Amino acid sequence: MSEPAEQMYRTIGSNIYRFRVLEHMTQEILAEKSDISTSYVSRIECFRLNKGMTCTTVMKIAEALNVPACVLFSEIPCQKYLQCLEQAALRGV
């Protein structure tokens, strides 16, 4: 896997982890809501993918986390990313 692709998967995995924790979800709950396996969620979050993931998978995870898919790709917190963080924090209160 190329360095830029590897970095993007790290970004996606980190963002999924961050929003999952903010939503007080376990990997099992996220997997169930996303219709993917728990081990796949774990591999995504821990950067242990041996191949890429589909857009459909990213979209399912984003929907389960209540964020737009573009937020999961965000390396630098943009306005939309910050809004989603704020909303997730408010839901967790």
Side-chain angles (χ1 to χ4, degrees):
M1 187 178 300
S2 71
E3 180 62 32
E6 188 174 313
Q7 181 56 44
M8 182 53 57
Y9 287 118
R10 285 184 180 281
T11 297
I12 294 168
S14 293
N15 287 332
I16 289 170
Y17 172 80
R18 182 173 294 115
F19 283 100
R20 179 178 63 77
V21 169
L22 282 170
E23 292 291 338
H24 303 286
M25 281 188 205
T26 62
Q27 288 181 340
E28 292 81 10
I29 292 170
L30 178 58
E32 185 177 307
K33 288 184 171 213
S34 303
D35 195 31
I36 60 177
S37 73
T38 303
S39 65
Y40 193 44
V41 170
S42 176
R43 288 195 319 271
I44 292 168
E45 288 186 355
C46 296
F47 327 121
R48 292 186 319 227
L49 291 174
N50 56 0
K51 60 180 181 174
M53 68 183 98
T54 66
C55 289
T56 302
T57 299
V58 174
M59 291 169 53
K60 285 179 174 183
I61 292 171
E63 184 177 327
L65 293 172
N66 299 306
V67 299
C70 64
V71 168
L72 299 180
F73 290 90
S74 182
E75 292 183 45
I76 301 169
C78 62
Q79 186 62 33
K80 189 66 170 174
Y81 184 93
L82 295 173
Q83 287 173 342
C84 289
L85 277 177
E86 184 178 312
Q87 290 171 354
L90 290 173
R91 282 192 296 272
V93 172

